[in-house]
Amino acid sequence: LSVSDIGLPLAAAGRAAVVPANLATFAEGLDVSADDVLLYLALREAAHQRLFAHVPWLRDHLIGAVADY
């Protein structure tokens, strides 16, 4: 659905992304409009970007933990 699905900062800092084709599939069968689903995903992406922007050490820590594993 988006760049923050797995919780790791995969995109460059400040870059959010939502895949529109996946959005339509995700919204199928939900009892909400596609606009509401897009709003939810956009807000989730913004929150993810804000978290990593305001906690500067977190990006390197998570990537380092995965690399160490």
Side-chain angles (χ1 to χ4, degrees), residues 3-16:
V3 76
S4 67
D5 280 346
I6 62 169
L8 293 174
L10 299 178
R15 296 276 178 158

Side-chain angles (χ1 to χ4, degrees), residues 42-64:
L43 290 172
R44 187 178 77 167
E45 283 295 301
H48 187 262
Q49 292 301 321
R50 185 176 171 101
L51 170 67
F52 285 102
H54 290 284
V55 184
W57 57 266
L58 186 57
R59 176 180 294 272
D60 291 336
H61 179 74
L62 286 175
I63 298 298

Side-chain angles (χ1 to χ4, degrees), residues 10 12 24 30 35 38-40 54 58 66:
L10 299 178
L30 296 177
D35 288 342
L38 178 59
L39 178 61
Y40 164 76
H54 290 284
L58 186 57
V66 171

